[in-house]
Amino acid sequence: MATEEFPDSFADVLGGVQRLIRRRLRAGMAEPRLRGAQVELLRLVMARPGIRVSAAAKELYLAGNSVSTLVNQLVKAGYLHRETDPEDRRSARLTATPAAEARLREWQARRGALVREQVAKLSESERAALAAAVPALRKLAENLHEEVGGI
């Protein structure tokens, strides 16, 4: 593959893998179906209980009103609690419900099993190549995260 073709091919493959993992995981998951942005918000709230809506928007690189819409959807579905911030009555703090925690634990377990199963089908050299690429992929993600923060 020519060097100039690599970035596009690489991005296409990463996007395709992520889409296929999501599609495979949707089969058999509990309803209601959660969209990617909803799952990202739930994962963030679980990692940082009590996060403010504005901080979540900044962390996810989404507009505040977009996150507010997601919060409303997830509160209605029973996956988030929204409480007025005692330090700033104009802000809300978010916590995940036990239902959200259970749902995400199930999703993470299923995702881990799916990826392990598929990686096991690869040759030893293919598994070694993927393992060797993980540090570079982490650095790529870190670089992308830092650059988005500067926009």
Side-chain angles (χ1 to χ4, degrees):
M1 172 182 320
T3 304
E4 62 274 0
E5 295 172 7
F6 171 74
D8 288 336
S9 295
F10 178 72
D12 290 345
V13 168
L14 280 181
V17 167
Q18 183 62 24
R19 272 190 309 279
L20 289 167
I21 288 172
R22 280 195 312 263
R23 285 181 189 156
R24 293 279 304 269
L25 291 177
R26 281 184 193 135
M29 283 298 292
E31 293 295 329
R33 181 174 286 168
L34 297 177
R35 295 187 350 254
Q38 292 172 319
V39 172
E40 287 181 39
L41 178 57
L42 285 175
R43 290 177 74 193
L44 176 60
V45 171
M46 285 180 59
R48 296 181 44 201
I51 189 171
R52 289 181 176 157
V53 173
S54 58
K58 184 176 181 181
E59 184 74 22
L60 295 172
Y61 302 105
L62 295 172
N65 62 343
S66 296
V67 173
S68 291
T69 298
L70 294 171
V71 167
N72 289 337
Q73 293 165 348
L74 292 168
V75 166
K76 185 177 178 181
Y79 291 127
L80 277 184
H81 287 297
R82 175 182 40 212
E83 299 171 349
T84 302
D85 185 342
E87 297 174 16
D88 181 355
R89 308 290 293 162
R90 298 168 297 165
S91 296
R93 293 195 174 263
L94 305 172
T95 54
T97 65
E101 292 171 2
R103 176 103 182 241
L104 285 183
R105 273 195 308 273
E106 176 192 1
W107 177 82
Q108 289 168 329
R110 292 182 71 221
R111 181 184 66 174
L114 172 64
V115 173
R116 279 190 299 278
E117 174 188 320
Q118 296 306 313
V119 168
K121 294 178 181 180
L122 299 174
S123 70
E124 183 65 35
S125 63
E126 290 166 330
R127 287 192 301 271
L130 288 177
V134 170
L137 290 169
R138 281 195 179 115
K139 182 62 178 173
L140 176 61
E142 183 180 304
N143 290 347
L144 288 166
H145 190 270
E146 288 173 3
E147 287 185 15
V148 170
I151 293 176

